[in-house]
């Protein structure tokens, strides 16, 4: 009886073992690998930078090779620079102001030398003015100088009022970032008081860009005027200048126009700052003065506290 029961159960046992082996193979049971804990030591190995660069290059090359083998093509990156055809990227053949302009008399020896140099530079300017008149028949040196001064005043009024739309119509795309840079958290107060000398055209050039015949007119206007400028920081404290004290300002403005564009306009393109110009006035910055250290339960009494004065610091060049 026992032998017959064993014979009957043996096939069932073999079938159950076979099913368990198939289930283990399907689950792909893997035994965990031994866990290695790194031990820190005080020894440090020096790796030269050349080997690091080579390792990075080989890694990037391997990655590129793998992507190409997979069927993906990596687009090559180019360092592109945007070009704006509405204006040029700078001032062509900038005007060199004579040293001591608006101070020296034309009757002195140095004044006569500078006068002769200006006459020599004026020959190239006359040729440029002729080219400008071919595309702008109404252009004259006397009327344009007055128009340039009006453009200068309107552009600075738009800058103080933060009128971006009007400012874009009065200055070029090269001049706009130079005028608005750093003025986000500041308040500007500017005023044109009077003109000390009538503005005049001192320099003119007519360069072409990209292709021959794509002409741009650049005219330099000398303007000697009296202005007031005051710059306040975001806390309302004066950083530079004064609203009540006018100052004499000698400026050389460069205006530009795309001549072959029938709808082009003369716009402010930049300024020429001579090398002999005096240094700018330093900017007064707002700093935080530390208050008294209060103990728990104490109150700050403003009348009994004296503001500490800054210590004298010796600066060395």
């Amino acid at each position: 009886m026992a032998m017959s029961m064993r014979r009957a159960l043996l096939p069932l046992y073999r079938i159950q073992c076979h099913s368990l082996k198939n289930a283990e193979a399907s689950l792909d049971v893997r035994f965990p690998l031994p866990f290695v804990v790194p031990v820190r030591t005080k020894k440090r190995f020096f790796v030269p930078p050349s080997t690091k660069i080579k390792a990075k290059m080989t890694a990037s090359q391997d990655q590129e090779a793998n992507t190409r083998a997979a069927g993906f093509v990596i687009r090559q990156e180019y360092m592109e620079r945007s070009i704006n055809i509405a204006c040029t990227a700078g001032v062509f053949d900038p005007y060199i102001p004579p040293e001591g302009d608006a101070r020296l008399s034309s009757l002195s020896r140095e004044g006569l030398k500078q006068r002769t140099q200006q006459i020599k530079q004026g020959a190239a300017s006359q040729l440029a003015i002729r080219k400008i008149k071919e595309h702008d028949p109404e252009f004259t040196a006397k009327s344009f100088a007055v128009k340039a001064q009006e453009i200068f005043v309107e552009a600075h009024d738009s800058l103080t009022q933060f009128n971006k739309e009007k400012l874009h119509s009065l200055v070029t795309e090269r001049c706009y970032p130079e005028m608005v840079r750093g003025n986000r958290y500041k308040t500007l107060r500017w005023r044109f008081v009077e003109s000390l000398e009538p503005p005049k055209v001192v320099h003119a050039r007519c360069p072409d860009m990209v292709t021959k015949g794509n002409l741009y007119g650049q005219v330099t206007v000398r303007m000697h005027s009296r202005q007031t400028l005051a710059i306040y920081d975001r806390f309302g404290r004066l950083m530079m200048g004064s609203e009540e004290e006018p100052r004499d300002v000698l400026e050389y403005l460069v205006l530009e126009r795309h001549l072959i564009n029938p709808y082009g306009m003369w716009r402010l393109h930049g300024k020429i700052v001579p090398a002999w110009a005096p240094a700018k006035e330093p900017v007064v910055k707002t700093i935080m003065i530390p208050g008294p250290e209060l103990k728990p339960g104490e109150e700050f009494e403003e009348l009994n506290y004296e503001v500490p004065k800054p210590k004298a610091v010796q600066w060395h060049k």
Side-chain angles (χ1 to χ4, degrees):
M1 186 68 180
M3 199 65 180
S4 61
M5 289 291 293
R6 184 180 178 185
R7 289 177 181 176
L9 295 173
L10 186 61
L12 296 173
Y13 177 74
R14 288 178 179 175
I15 291 170
Q16 188 176 4
C17 292
H18 184 69
S19 62
L20 289 173
K21 286 181 181 179
N22 292 338
E24 185 179 353
S26 63
L27 291 173
D28 193 13
V29 178
R30 297 180 181 178
F31 297 98
L33 296 174
F35 183 70
V36 180
V37 180
V39 180
R40 289 188 177 182
T41 59
K42 293 184 178 180
K43 294 182 180 179
R44 294 183 180 180
F45 299 96
F46 173 73
V47 181
S50 59
T51 57
K52 293 181 181 179
I53 296 170
K54 289 180 181 178
K56 289 181 180 179
M57 292 176 64
T58 54
S60 61
Q61 290 174 359
D62 294 342
Q63 185 179 3
E64 186 176 356
N66 294 333
T67 52
R68 286 184 178 179
F72 297 99
V73 179
I74 300 175
R75 184 178 179 183
Q76 190 174 359
E77 296 182 359
Y78 298 96
M79 297 298 293
E80 298 179 354
R81 182 182 177 185
S82 58
I83 298 176
N84 186 13
I85 62 172
C87 68
T88 58
V91 180
F92 289 86
D93 191 12
Y95 174 69
I96 301 175
E99 187 172 356
D101 193 4
R103 295 179 183 176
L104 290 178
S105 174
S106 59
L107 299 177
S108 63
R109 186 176 180 181
E110 294 182 358
L112 291 172
K113 288 182 180 180
Q114 293 173 1
R115 188 66 178 171
T116 54
Q117 290 177 358
Q118 289 177 0
I119 293 171
K120 291 179 181 179
Q121 292 178 354
S125 298
Q126 292 298 327
L127 295 174
I129 289 174
R130 290 177 186 174
K131 287 185 179 180
I132 292 172
K133 284 184 176 181
E134 292 177 1
H135 297 82
D136 188 4
E138 298 179 357
F139 179 87
T140 57
K142 190 174 182 180
S143 62
F144 180 79
V146 179
K147 182 181 178 182
Q149 185 172 343
E150 294 176 357
I151 293 172
F152 173 79
V153 174
E154 290 181 6
H156 283 73
D157 287 337
S158 302
L159 179 64
T160 55
Q161 298 171 4
F162 294 99
N163 191 350
K164 296 181 180 179
E165 289 77 11
K166 189 175 181 180
L167 187 61
H168 271 293
S169 64
L170 296 170
V171 301
T172 60
E173 287 75 13
R174 179 219 177 225
C175 184
Y176 180 82
E178 294 181 359
M179 292 184 68
V180 301
R181 186 182 294 118
N183 298 336
R184 185 174 182 180
Y185 299 108
K186 297 175 184 175
T187 304
L188 307 179
R189 293 287 184 266
W190 180 87
R191 185 167 56 92
F192 183 84
V193 180
E194 60 178 346
S195 181
L196 299 177
E197 295 181 32
K200 64 178 180 180
V201 175
V202 294
H203 195 70
R205 289 293 181 269
C206 192
D208 51 2
M209 190 177 71
V210 182
T211 57
K212 191 174 182 180
N214 189 25
L215 298 176
Y216 293 83
Q218 291 186 353
V219 180
T220 305
V221 178
R222 177 186 179 273
M223 193 177 73
H224 191 199
S225 60
R226 186 169 291 172
Q227 308 169 14
T228 60
L229 174 65
I231 302 176
Y232 298 91
D233 61 3
R234 58 178 179 171
F235 303 107
R237 296 179 176 86
L238 183 65
M239 295 179 64
M240 187 179 67
S242 174
E243 293 189 52
E244 299 177 356
E245 182 184 354
R247 296 190 179 184
D248 300 346
V249 183
L250 179 63
E251 293 175 309
Y252 299 91
L253 311 176
V254 180
L255 285 91
E256 186 182 81
R257 178 184 173 182
H258 196 194
L259 295 177
I260 64 172
N261 183 8
Y263 302 102
M265 297 183 298
W266 288 100
R267 297 185 294 173
L268 189 63
H269 189 62
K271 291 182 182 180
I272 296 176
V273 181
W276 45 266
K280 291 184 179 180
E281 183 180 342
V283 177
V284 180
K285 295 184 179 181
T286 302
I287 59 174
M288 184 182 69
I289 300 175
E293 297 181 0
L294 300 178
K295 296 180 181 180
E298 289 184 350
E299 295 183 358
F300 175 70
E301 296 180 1
E302 188 176 359
L303 297 177
N304 298 335
Y305 178 71
E306 294 182 0
V307 179
K309 296 181 180 180
K311 298 180 181 179
V313 180
Q314 181 66 33
W315 296 94
H316 298 278
K317 292 184 178 180

